[in-house]
Amino acid sequence: MIRWKIAVFEFKRFLKWKQELATLAIMLVIIASMSAWPQIKGWIDKDYRVAVVGDTMPAIAGYQFTRVGDDRIDEVQANLGKDWDLLLIIRAGELKLVGEKSTSWLEKLTPQLQRWHQQQLIAALPLSAEQQKVIDDLPTVDISYTRESLADEKARKLKRIVGIVYLSVLVTGFFASFGLMFTAITGEKQQRVTEQLLTLVAPREWIDGKIIGVSLFSLKTIATYGLITVLIIQGASLISGGTSLSIPLGALELVCMLGFLIMGILLLNTFLAGFAATIDDPNHSGRTVVMLLPGLLLGAVFMVMDNAEGQAMQLLSWLPLTSFSAMPLRVMSSDVPWWEWLGSLALLIGFVVWLSRASARVFELGIRMYGKEPRWSDIAAALFNRR
């Protein structure tokens, strides 16, 4: 009961409903502003005035092209920066651009003009309609599957998006826990609060309460950002003229994802809680960077996610240190037998139980060594219970 009281205290300690709602409202305003920004930018920015000497006229959004005669070249050059922003001369298959000075919009316009002029040159060649069609159109690719229908293929692509969102919110949960553990454990160690409370509460119950409370808050953060991401995807689909997207997850897939998510967050916080107790001052300790190691494990999964069916992803989906992020991606991208992800989840649960005991021993060692950080050999001995 004591560890649950500590867990509820830690969860309520960091959960501020008014701030949560304010943050959510601000993020929605930011998302709406970013969505509307291209339209606003179009209203604010003026069209750049380009004088064109040549027989053809490009048509590119954001630029106002006006044909002038050869006899006005000197006049346009003299008025660059005033009446004109750019002079474009098209002669003998070449483009000549004359501006007042180098600008970012000119760097953006140059490849657009090159592509436009290339199309003009191709159109001028004595090609038949069939030859022109071969140049303009990409070859048709007809993909068929022996075990999957087109509807299944579409559902699979949506599941892959869900897998990417899952991995992204997992990273968000890790960094949320990273900061909270410094406050919940290292900060209290500096004030010598934990040292006094350990005379009343067992170290295992104390650290378990911290881990569960911070994990609940991390899961709340993940749920918030996951909801925002889903709203963004749905909004983008509706704005682009599509229909509302439904997430094609079955009950087993949902159980798999939630199981690995909960155990993954507990694993990350168990590691962070134990190691945070060995740090005296996060601003000066060189060990702070060690707490970022779980980020490398998440990065390893990110690096192989483009081949979710490959052997590297299969290996990562069985290792307890990476299975919480790799296995859900495999399940979303391919057909993984239920016994395989259930076995991986059982391994992960067993590893979390062992790590929680080891972390409690490291936590007790770190808290009792105020003013001096334990040596790496002391941490290793506590980790494997060889003190």
Side-chain angles (χ1 to χ4, degrees):
M1 286 299 294
I2 293 178
R3 58 170 54 90
W4 283 105
K5 288 181 180 178
I6 298 171
V8 171
F9 168 79
E10 291 295 334
F11 179 71
K12 290 183 176 179
R13 175 185 182 183
F14 297 114
L15 182 64
K16 310 294 182 187
W17 284 110
K18 290 183 180 178
Q19 292 183 10
E20 292 291 329
L21 293 174
T23 302
L24 190 59
I26 291 172
M27 291 193 68
L28 290 176
V29 170
I30 292 174
I31 293 169
S33 301
M34 291 176 64
S35 301
W37 177 245
Q39 188 68 30
I40 297 172
K41 181 175 176 294
W43 293 337
I44 296 175
D45 284 345
K46 66 181 181 66
D47 288 348
Y48 293 102
R49 299 153 299 181
V50 182
V52 181
V53 178
D55 297 330
T56 54
M57 290 283 289
I60 300 173
Y63 303 91
Q64 181 181 346
F65 296 94
T66 305
R67 179 177 288 115
V68 298
D70 290 353
D71 56 336
R72 294 186 59 191
I73 291 178
D74 293 337
E75 174 196 339
V76 171
Q77 290 187 9
N79 288 286
L80 286 174
K82 301 174 184 175
D83 298 333
W84 302 100
D85 296 301
L86 186 69
L87 172 62
L88 167 62
I89 301 175
I90 307 171
R91 281 178 181 164
E94 294 182 354
L95 298 178
K96 182 178 180 181
L97 297 173
V98 181
E100 185 186 22
K101 56 185 178 181
S102 62
T103 57
S104 58
W105 61 266
L106 180 55
E107 293 177 2
K108 178 182 175 183
L109 175 64
T110 302
Q112 291 178 292
L113 285 173
Q114 287 177 305
R115 285 192 294 272
W116 166 80
H117 193 55
Q118 184 184 41
Q119 291 300 319
Q120 296 295 313
L121 295 176
I122 292 174
L125 294 175
L127 300 174
S128 64
E130 291 76 14
Q131 291 172 324
Q132 184 67 45
K133 191 173 187 302
V134 169
I135 294 174
D136 293 339
D137 298 342
L138 291 173
T140 302
V141 179
D142 184 9
I143 302 177
S144 60
Y145 307 99
T146 56
R147 294 177 52 194
E148 193 173 64
S149 65
L150 291 177
D152 293 336
E153 181 197 11
K154 183 179 179 182
R156 180 78 65 194
K157 290 180 178 177
L158 288 175
K159 287 180 181 178
R160 285 175 184 160
I161 295 175
V162 173
I164 295 171
V165 172
Y166 169 84
L167 198 53
S168 302
V169 296
L170 198 57
V171 173
T172 303
F174 166 65
F175 281 105
S177 302
F178 183 85
L180 296 181
M181 279 301 176
F182 275 128
T183 303
I185 293 182
T186 310
E188 291 183 356
K189 178 186 176 183
Q190 289 178 308
Q191 299 169 3
R192 309 199 73 169
V193 174
T194 310
E195 194 176 353
Q196 299 174 28
L197 288 173
L198 288 185
T199 59
L200 303 172
V201 184
R204 179 69 190 276
E205 291 179 321
W206 183 254
I207 192 174
D208 282 352
K210 296 279 186 185
I211 292 170
I212 295 172
V214 174
S215 296
L216 288 174
F217 186 82
S218 299
L219 290 171
K220 189 279 308 169
T221 303
I222 287 174
T224 302
Y225 283 96
L227 176 63
I228 291 173
T229 304
V230 170
L231 291 176
I232 292 174
I233 294 175
Q234 293 285 6
S237 175
L238 294 175
I239 290 173
S240 61
T243 57
S244 177
L245 297 176
S246 60
I247 301 175
L249 291 182
L252 281 179
E253 292 166 332
L254 197 58
V255 169
C256 168
M257 194 166 62
L258 289 177
F260 278 99
L261 175 64
I262 293 171
M263 296 313 301
I265 290 298
L266 283 174
L267 173 67
L268 294 173
N269 282 312
T270 302
F271 169 80
L272 293 174
F275 202 80
T278 68
I279 298 174
D280 270 355
D281 186 351
N283 295 318
H284 299 93
S285 175
R287 297 181 178 182
T288 303
V289 69
V290 177
M291 294 184 65
L292 292 172
L293 283 179
L296 293 179
L297 301 175
L298 292 170
V301 177
F302 260 113
M303 292 176 69
V304 299
M305 65 183 296
D306 59 337
N307 185 16
E309 297 83 5
Q311 293 184 351
M313 183 64 88
Q314 291 185 28
L315 176 64
L316 293 176
S317 67
W318 276 99
L319 295 176
L321 289 174
T322 52
S323 62
F324 64 92
S325 54
M327 184 56 85
L329 283 181
R330 275 192 65 201
V331 172
M332 296 299 152
S333 302
S334 60
D335 295 327
V336 179
W338 63 269
W339 58 266
E340 195 169 331
W341 65 259
L342 206 57
S344 175
L345 183 60
L347 274 179
L348 177 59
I349 292 173
F351 184 75
V352 170
V353 171
W354 173 82
L355 186 62
S356 66
R357 294 174 180 171
S359 183
R361 293 192 293 269
V362 175
F363 171 78
E364 185 178 2
L365 169 70
I367 291 298
R368 296 195 188 283
M369 294 186 67
Y370 181 80
K372 177 186 176 183
E373 292 184 342
R375 296 173 299 178
W376 287 107
S377 58
D378 295 331
I379 295 175
L383 193 64
F384 296 102
N385 199 19
R386 293 179 178 174
R387 289 187 296 164

